[in-house]
Amino acid sequence: MATASNAEHIVIVTGSAPLAVAAVASIPDEAIVIAVDGGLDHALAAGLHPSGLIGDLDSVSADALEWAEQNATISRHPADKDDTDTELALRFVADMMPTQLTMIGGGDRLDHTFAALGALGLPELTSIPMIDAWWGAQHVDVLHGPGQATLQLAPDSIVSLLALHGKCTGVTITGVRWQLDDATLAPVVGWGVSNQVVADGTVNIRLSTGVLTVFDVPASTAPSTAPSTTPSLDLSTNPSLDLSTNPSLDLFASQSSPHPDPHPDPDPDPHPDPHQPSTTGDSKKDHTT
């Protein structure tokens, strides 16, 4: 196995819509930015300069592709493949073992939205300590169990917990109006939706099993300018990125090999009770969304 680069923060730009201002402002100058196919056009329009381009390149513009040929490493894949372009990029990033992964994207196709957010539950990403995303102006944090996170969110803002990838167990959340303690969330039910962050904005979340998607509003987005230079991939510590032997950076040459099922059936009980009571703090009040 190739030695990973241990990058600090990697940002993947994907989707078919211009990037939200808050999303771009959240990218630190030292982050490595990788574009997914047509996401390169939106990255360049936002003033970003990705160091890599991944995908079948069926939606990137000719001008953006010409820019990438001069300024970035390109990993071109056939259109006839099992993985989406975003999944290819996420698997590539997982091999680099970053401390934080951020996906930025958007678009009005609901199937692409579900597929992109769903890809953040890939089992290959479990070892990444921090995973978040911006889809349009909506921010999400993704927690793979077992795990925990402390989030600084806008006081009085809305935070929602959804089990998009199957049942989540041991769900505990504090710092909100309706706390949960060791709860079980069934797949895509509304019990965790529309909670309210309390005054200090510090929200603690713990998860035993499953993949929990947290829709939230960060306390602040630090002002930042787009990187004027592109952090480079450290090829000296990752032999799999040796461009002298692989100028196309085709890390997925063995695509015929099946990947593990990213969505195994995690729930032997198809009808868990989605309304078990909380044992800590106030119980969730009846509300509409």
Side-chain angles (χ1 to χ4, degrees):
M1 175 179 290
T3 303
S5 65
N6 293 306
E8 291 294 320
H9 192 171
I10 299 180
V11 176
I12 291 177
V13 179
T14 187
S16 59
L19 307 186
V21 173
V24 177
S26 72
I27 301 174
D29 290 348
E30 66 273 13
I32 293 174
V33 179
I34 297 173
V36 178
D37 209 332
L40 177 61
D41 286 272
H42 301 297
L44 294 175
L48 302 174
H49 300 95
S51 59
L53 173 64
I54 295 178
D56 55 26
L57 310 187
D58 65 346
S59 59
V60 65
S61 71
D63 288 344
L65 183 56
E66 182 179 0
W67 178 91
E69 289 170 344
Q70 299 297 320
N71 298 280
T73 301
I74 300 175
S75 177
R76 186 189 295 264
H77 295 262
D80 186 8
K81 59 186 185 302
D82 293 333
D83 293 326
T84 66
D85 289 339
T86 299
E87 287 172 333
L88 292 177
L90 289 170
R91 287 193 168 98
F92 166 62
V93 167
D95 189 54
M96 297 176 66
M97 296 175 59
T99 56
Q100 181 172 354
L101 164 65
T102 299
M103 183 178 74
I104 298 177
D108 57 6
R109 279 190 56 174
L110 194 57
D111 55 342
H112 283 181
T113 300
F114 278 122
L117 293 179
L120 294 176
L122 288 172
E124 292 93 329
L125 305 182
T126 302
S127 61
I128 299 176
M130 297 177 61
I131 301 174
D132 72 329
W134 292 85
W135 198 257
Q138 174 66 65
H139 183 260
V140 303
D141 286 283
V142 178
L143 186 61
H144 287 243
Q148 58 185 359
T150 298
L151 307 177
Q152 294 298 322
L153 304 181
D156 299 320
S157 65
I158 297 300
V159 58
S160 295
L161 310 182
L162 279 175
L164 297 183
H165 302 82
K167 182 174 72 175
C168 290
T169 67
V171 178
T172 297
I173 182 170
T174 62
V176 292
R177 182 178 180 184
W178 297 289
Q179 299 183 26
L180 296 176
D181 183 17
D182 200 29
T184 296
L185 295 183
V188 200
V189 298
W191 190 26
V193 170
S194 293
N195 214 325
Q196 183 177 3
V197 178
V198 297
D200 74 350
T202 301
V203 175
N204 293 290
I205 301 174
R206 188 172 69 248
L207 173 70
S208 296
T209 66
V211 179
L212 188 65
T213 302
V214 183
F215 294 79
D216 55 35
V217 180
S220 63
T221 301
S224 174
T225 57
S228 57
T229 60
T230 302
S232 60
L233 307 182
D234 188 353
L235 306 183
S236 64
T237 60
N238 194 336
S240 69
L241 304 182
D242 186 354
L243 301 188
S244 64
T245 59
N246 193 346
S248 66
L249 190 59
D250 186 1
L251 304 183
F252 306 93
S254 58
Q255 287 196 34
S256 60
S257 300
H259 293 292
D261 181 6
H263 303 292
D265 182 5
D267 187 4
D269 178 3
H271 302 291
D273 180 8
H275 300 291
Q276 59 177 316
S278 168
T279 58
T280 300
D282 295 334
S283 61
K284 184 75 176 287
K285 305 301 187 295
D286 186 21
H287 64 284
T288 58
T289 58

